Amino acid sequence: MRNFLHVQDLGDLKLALAEAQEIKKDRYKYVELGRNKTALLVFFNNSLRTRLSTQKAALNLGMNVIVLDVNAGAWKLETERGVIMDGDKSEHLLEAIPVMACYCDMIGIRSFAGLTDREYDYAETVYNQFVKYSGKPVFAMETATVHPLQAFADLITIEEHWKNSQLRPKVVLTWAPHPKSLPQAVPNSFAEWMNAADVDFVITHPEGYELDPKFVGDARVEYDQKKAFEGADFIYAKNWSCPGVTRPADYGKILHDYHTMTHWTVDAEHMSWTNNAKFMHCLPVRRNMIVTDDVIEAPTSLVIPEAANREISATVVLKRILQSL
Ligand code: AN0
Ligand code: CP
């Protein structure tokens, strides 16, 4: 595997999950694989988990790691071609990418959606520029439309906490309120990966927040949150801004004042509608906005195991890339 953006990039998902468990048992098993290889992690946006877990994964594999925070010390980068660069941006990505590529063997990119130009975001313009102009393997650390390292860790976590081999778990992705416009990358990837996994998958959100059909696939969409939660084994909460599917002009917007949407916040009553479901969120999470204190602190909350599994998903992905060099 050279590039990592979608679930299909891993090939057989069952094999990838087995590899994750192999690595979890002995996370240094492939420590020789990365000797004298360098991973460059480029952050255009903030991060806690992705930064630490991906660095740890590279160290597990014996690699060297360089981290670049574009907004903290690098030249401000122009990303669009054809712009007259008379503003505050000193360097163009089209020079910066091949330069960065000189110093490493693979590149991880965190570059969130701008949430103003749907076409630009959904074409994965920045990620694809890195693929095209670096000549190096590139993996997503949350790009404009996907967050596959997160979705892979989430799937590992669901598999670990589902003990019934006879039945498929019911997994529900629920929208929850948030005061700021957030990308669709996490719900897009979660939907893509759940559709590829052996689970009964339902998506619930207020009208207007329909995710892009290429990620929804054959998943059931239930607008009544209570109905969606009934019998659920896993509740995956996340806010996302309007994907602009039904009304392109609303792309990236918050459709209703969040104060009027607090009935979507996951609280103990919501969880009582489920089959004693586990609660999941990728983090960072705003407490008492997305989820109440008692739900996130309950023994049924998986938010910390999910974050821990980010090291495992990243180790599998970087190992696969190393094996392709
Ligand atoms: C980001 C998002 O919603 O995509 C990152 C999540 C991993 N969240 C925030 O910006 C709060
Ligand atoms: N879940 C996740 O990707 O967290 P960070 O934004 O802190 O990396």
Side-chain angles (χ1 to χ4, degrees), residues 43 46-51 110 112 141-142 147 150 186 282-284 310:
F43 288 89
N46 296 342
S47 166
L48 186 152
R49 279 142 292 272
T50 304
R51 170 189 302 266
R110 166 158 290 205
F112 289 175
M141 302 195 298
E142 185 170 339
H147 195 1
Q150 181 66 48
V186 170
C282 63
L283 305 181
R310 291 292 306 276

Side-chain angles (χ1 to χ4, degrees), residues 145-294:
T145 66
V146 290
H147 195 1
L149 285 169
Q150 181 66 48
F152 188 14
D154 294 332
L155 180 56
I156 295 168
T157 311
I158 288 171
E159 200 195 37
E160 288 174 343
H161 288 86
W162 183 244
K163 303 294 176 206
N164 187 337
S165 56
Q166 308 298 315
L167 286 176
R168 290 169 8 130
K170 179 176 177 183
V171 179
V172 178
L173 166 63
T174 182
W175 183 94
H178 194 277
K180 295 192 169 159
S181 278
L182 293 185
Q184 295 110 42
V186 170
N188 283 347
S189 281
F190 189 73
E192 180 186 276
W193 287 66
M194 288 305 115
N195 283 328
D198 198 16
V199 304
D200 172 21
F201 182 50
V202 178
I203 306 173
T204 184
H205 54 73
E207 278 185 42
Y209 287 99
E210 291 76 17
L211 294 167
D212 191 292
K214 82 173 179 214
F215 294 106
V216 175
D218 294 329
R220 193 149 56 86
V221 178
E222 170 58 69
Y223 291 100
D224 182 330
Q225 195 190 24
K226 187 172 184 190
K227 273 195 197 147
F229 272 46
E230 279 164 10
D233 300 298
F234 294 88
I235 296 295
Y236 193 96
K238 183 73 185 85
N239 172 269
W240 61 89
S241 61
C242 176
V245 170
T246 43
R247 280 172 50 96
D250 285 341
Y251 176 63
K253 293 198 176 133
I254 296 178
L255 299 178
H256 326 267
D257 182 337
Y258 68 87
H259 293 102
T260 67
M261 300 305 286
T262 50
H263 53 292
W264 281 82
T265 301
V266 180
D267 63 8
E269 194 199 336
H270 284 70
M271 294 305 280
S272 77
W273 302 333
T274 72
N275 180 29
N276 194 27
K278 304 276 198 273
F279 175 81
M280 301 180 72
H281 189 279
C282 63
L283 305 181
V285 73
R286 290 189 185 229
R287 283 179 173 224
N288 305 310
M289 177 64 48
I290 302 283
V291 57
T292 54
D293 290 320
D294 51 341

Side-chain angles (χ1 to χ4, degrees), residues 289-316:
M289 177 64 48
I290 302 283
V291 57
T292 54
D293 290 320
D294 51 341
V295 170
I296 198 170
E297 290 170 2
T300 41
S301 169
L302 297 181
V303 296
I304 306 304
E306 284 175 84
N309 278 330
R310 291 292 306 276
E311 175 186 348
I312 306 303
S313 64
T315 307
V316 173

